[in-house]
Amino acid sequence: MESRKHLAAEKKRCNTHNCAQAVVCTYCDLVGLPEQTAKEVASSFGGGMGNREGTCGAIVGAGMILGLKLKDREISKVRMKEIMNRFQERNGATRCCELKGIGTGKVLRDCPDCVADASEFLEEYL
């Protein structure tokens, strides 16, 4: 499969999708999910989990697609942990507020780049 991480990042960059939607909508065809449904399912996960600046929405979106693709709870949990660990290693955080520099003023990673990273790590399991 040719990488789609740049397509996902562009969805976020254009501001047509939140971070979770950008990931879920980019890969929804691989799991048989209609794009509009994918966009609706991921709509509550922008701005960090539930818009509370928690877990990065791009990571959450990757987890949604991963679960739908693997259809195995235990394997999905292991792979999701690997994705989160790699994301943390590359970016220094997995929480939206830390990535955006909220409270510290130090931005670790911009949202489109977070979307690209989560997508890159997800693609390894698709």
Side-chain angles (χ1 to χ4, degrees):
M1 174 179 81
E2 185 175 326
S3 180
R4 300 181 183 186
K5 71 180 189 176
H6 299 295
L7 296 172
E10 190 59 27
K11 287 178 188 204
K12 176 58 185 164
R13 191 173 285 108
C14 291
N15 214 21
T16 58
H17 296 69
N18 69 36
C19 295
Q21 289 173 321
V23 175
V24 175
C25 290
T26 298
Y27 300 97
C28 64
D29 63 307
L30 300 178
V31 296
L33 190 63
E35 188 164 357
Q36 186 58 38
T37 301
K39 195 169 188 179
E40 292 164 359
V41 165
S43 66
S44 300
F45 298 96
M49 182 76 78
N51 201 31
R52 295 197 42 128
E53 299 162 347
T55 302
C56 171
I59 297 171
V60 174
M64 290 179 190
I65 294 296
L66 187 68
L68 288 167
K69 182 68 174 176
L70 298 179
K71 298 183 184 341
D72 183 299
R73 186 169 89 178
E74 293 308 314
I75 295 172
S76 294
K77 285 175 19 181
V78 169
R79 298 292 183 248
M80 191 66 222
K81 186 175 182 178
E82 292 169 2
I83 288 171
M84 290 188 75
N85 286 340
R86 291 188 64 204
F87 192 96
Q88 170 79 35
E89 186 177 294
R90 180 176 287 175
N91 298 304
T94 59
R95 293 190 52 195
C96 180
C97 61
E98 294 168 3
L99 292 160
K100 289 181 176 180
I102 295 171
T104 66
K106 180 182 177 193
V107 176
L108 299 178
R109 196 81 161 144
D110 290 324
C111 292
D113 294 327
C114 288
V115 168
D117 291 342
S119 296
E120 175 185 333
F121 302 142
L122 169 64
E123 286 178 1
E124 294 177 20
Y125 303 111
L126 299 178

